[in-house]
Amino acid sequence: MPGVAVEAARPEGDDAHARLRRDLEAVLMVVDQPVAAYDLARAFDRSVRDIEAVLTGLSEEYTAQGRGFDLRQVAEGWRIYTRPECADVVEHFLKEGQEVRLTQAALETLAVVAYRQPVSRGRVSAVRGVNCDGVMRTLVLRGLVEEAGSDPESGALQYRTTSYFLERLGLRSLDELPDLAPFLPDDIEGLDDTGEHTS
């Protein structure tokens, strides 16, 4: 009965493939820089060939469906990008649509940056207790936060608030911010850029 064994094995293989597609999508939605297929293969305990096949399939599927996002392979690896033809709409929404209120997560992240700047994403995440990469991208696109060079010790990219941030809050300088710093953790300087305490 070899035919029965083959038919019984297919759904399980299909399920594993579907789970891998789902899990790869979940990871690619939160990364803030391209990820190499090799790194994804290690994380998922799969071969690089398997990972690249799934990523290529997802990329082709998104294009065929005309999705607003695109999965692209660049020199450093794979990442989800806004489709070029949607760039104007996204820019208008994020920069001009200022009547759209910031989420609670965005407000918390913005507060940490304002009071601890310049600060890396890792340290902001450590203060908030959750990954803030996506929120930081939104704040940058909205013009409230900008890159402020690299930390001389760790090399991590740092962020600070912008003059537009001051304008939106009606402040002349950061000195006019309310005195909330005492409510933020004091030991942020003892954290590395992954949020772990340094020895």
Side-chain angles (χ1 to χ4, degrees), residues 8-70:
R10 281 190 65 189
E12 185 178 347
D14 290 347
D15 287 347
H17 181 75
R19 281 196 303 274
L20 179 59
R21 284 167 48 94
R22 178 201 66 193
D23 294 346
L24 281 170
E25 284 181 322
V27 168
L28 290 166
M29 291 296 281
V30 299
V31 297
D32 66 334
Q33 57 190 358
V35 183
Y38 172 78
D39 293 330
L40 292 168
R42 275 194 327 170
F44 288 95
D45 195 23
R46 300 292 291 264
S47 72
V48 173
R49 178 180 292 182
D50 284 350
I51 295 297
E52 287 184 336
V54 173
L55 293 172
T56 300
L58 286 171
S59 178
E60 292 171 352
E61 182 179 313
Y62 298 156
T63 299
Q65 293 175 350
R67 303 298 268 289
F69 54 87
D70 184 21

Side-chain angles (χ1 to χ4, degrees), residues 18-185:
R19 281 196 303 274
L20 179 59
R21 284 167 48 94
R22 178 201 66 193
D23 294 346
L24 281 170
E25 284 181 322
V27 168
L28 290 166
M29 291 296 281
V30 299
V31 297
D32 66 334
Q33 57 190 358
V35 183
Y38 172 78
D39 293 330
L40 292 168
R42 275 194 327 170
F44 288 95
D45 195 23
R46 300 292 291 264
S47 72
V48 173
R49 178 180 292 182
D50 284 350
I51 295 297
E52 287 184 336
V54 173
L55 293 172
T56 300
L58 286 171
S59 178
E60 292 171 352
E61 182 179 313
Y62 298 156
T63 299
Q65 293 175 350
R67 303 298 268 289
F69 54 87
D70 184 21
L71 176 58
R72 280 184 258 160
Q73 183 178 20
V74 294
E76 299 83 9
W78 294 80
R79 184 177 175 194
I80 291 178
Y81 294 88
T82 300
R83 202 165 287 281
E85 51 268 37
C86 300
D88 290 344
V89 174
V90 173
E91 184 175 358
H92 176 75
F93 175 78
L94 293 174
K95 289 189 175 180
E96 303 300 327
Q98 298 300 334
E99 70 278 1
V100 177
R101 292 182 178 273
L102 292 175
T103 63
Q104 183 68 28
L107 289 171
E108 291 172 6
T109 300
L110 188 56
V112 176
V113 174
Y115 284 97
R116 295 295 188 180
Q117 62 187 306
V119 65
S120 69
R121 282 182 307 227
R123 292 189 177 186
V124 174
S125 295
V127 171
R128 293 196 57 237
V130 294
N131 185 295
C132 67
D133 291 348
V135 176
M136 288 289 280
R137 282 198 300 273
T138 298
L139 293 174
V140 169
L141 286 169
R142 300 265 310 247
L144 297 167
V145 169
E146 64 186 0
E147 295 179 2
S150 299
D151 183 288
E153 294 180 8
S154 68
L157 188 61
Q158 295 186 306
Y159 293 85
R160 65 185 173 210
T161 53
T162 63
S163 56
Y164 180 68
F165 164 80
L166 294 174
E167 177 188 328
R168 294 295 293 176
L169 267 65
L171 305 175
R172 287 172 293 183
S173 74
L174 292 172
D175 295 333
E176 294 184 357
L177 282 171
D179 188 19
L180 296 180
F183 296 99
L184 294 174

